[in-house]
């Protein structure tokens, strides 16, 4: 069972992510703040991280940069999410981002993007 760490500060959206991902066979660790991300990664060992850009008092893009600059967390694919930015804006200037999910979204699109990232992460 693939593990997904979900970092989202809106409890309703976090609950929705958790419910949908569990229904699709993923083990989910829901997290409402980015502060303990590295500690949770050590214990949960996620196959993918789904993280909001706008977290309470934090920027998901900054956390992403920390993840990618750390040798142990760099290989973990990350999908950033937000309702405040268009996908083409985020991806054109940041090709290192694994993928981006613009809110609101369709569940089928989210699942397809997650499956694609998980597949690609095991090619290397």
């Amino acid at each position: 069972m693939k593990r997904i760490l979900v970092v989202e500060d809106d409890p309703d959206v976090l609950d929705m992510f958790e419910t949908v991902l569990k229904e699709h066979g993923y083990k989910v660790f829901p997290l409402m703040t980015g502060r303990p991300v590295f500690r949770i990664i050590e214990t949960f060992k996620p196959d993918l991280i789904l993280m909001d850009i706008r977290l309470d008092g934090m920027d998901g893009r900054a956390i992403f940069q920390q993840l990618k600059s750390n040798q142990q967390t760099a290989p973990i694919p990350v999908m950033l999410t937000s309702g405040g930015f268009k996908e083409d804006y985020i991806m054109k200037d940041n090709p290192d981002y694994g993928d981006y999910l613009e809110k609101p979204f369709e569940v089928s699109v989210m699942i397809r993007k997650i499956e694609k990232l998980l597949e690609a992460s095991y090619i290397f």
Side-chain angles (χ1 to χ4, degrees):
M1 180 180 287
K2 300 287 185 205
R3 300 167 185 258
I4 300 179
L5 172 60
V6 180
V7 187
E8 168 64 60
D9 62 348
D10 181 321
D12 294 330
V13 175
L14 182 62
D15 185 54
M16 183 277 306
F17 277 136
E18 183 177 14
T19 300
V20 168
L21 291 170
K22 284 182 176 180
E23 287 173 357
H24 282 83
Y26 296 104
K27 185 170 185 173
V28 179
F29 192 107
L31 192 59
M32 289 192 64
T33 178
R35 286 169 180 53
V37 163
F38 286 91
R39 188 181 74 233
I40 299 304
I41 288 171
E42 286 180 27
T43 58
F44 184 63
K45 301 189 184 326
D47 297 292
L48 182 135
I49 299 169
L50 183 64
M51 181 168 46
D52 193 14
I53 287 177
R54 293 182 177 171
L55 295 168
D56 186 28
M58 300 184 81
D59 187 331
R61 294 170 294 188
I63 297 170
F64 173 87
Q65 293 302 327
Q66 289 177 324
L67 290 167
K68 294 305 171 185
S69 66
N70 180 310
Q71 187 176 359
Q72 288 154 335
T73 58
I76 303 169
V78 178
M79 183 186 315
L80 294 175
T81 68
S82 181
F85 302 98
K86 295 288 183 195
E87 182 172 2
D88 58 347
Y89 170 76
I90 292 294
M91 296 306 289
K92 76 176 169 78
D93 293 331
N94 303 289
D96 293 337
Y97 293 160
D99 208 336
Y100 178 71
L101 186 65
E102 185 178 339
K103 298 174 191 172
F105 58 87
E106 292 192 30
V107 170
S108 62
V109 171
M110 177 185 74
I111 296 299
R112 187 171 54 248
K113 286 178 177 245
I114 287 172
E115 289 172 350
K116 182 179 171 187
L117 280 175
L118 288 171
E119 265 183 34
S121 70
Y122 289 101
I123 292 173
F124 300 105

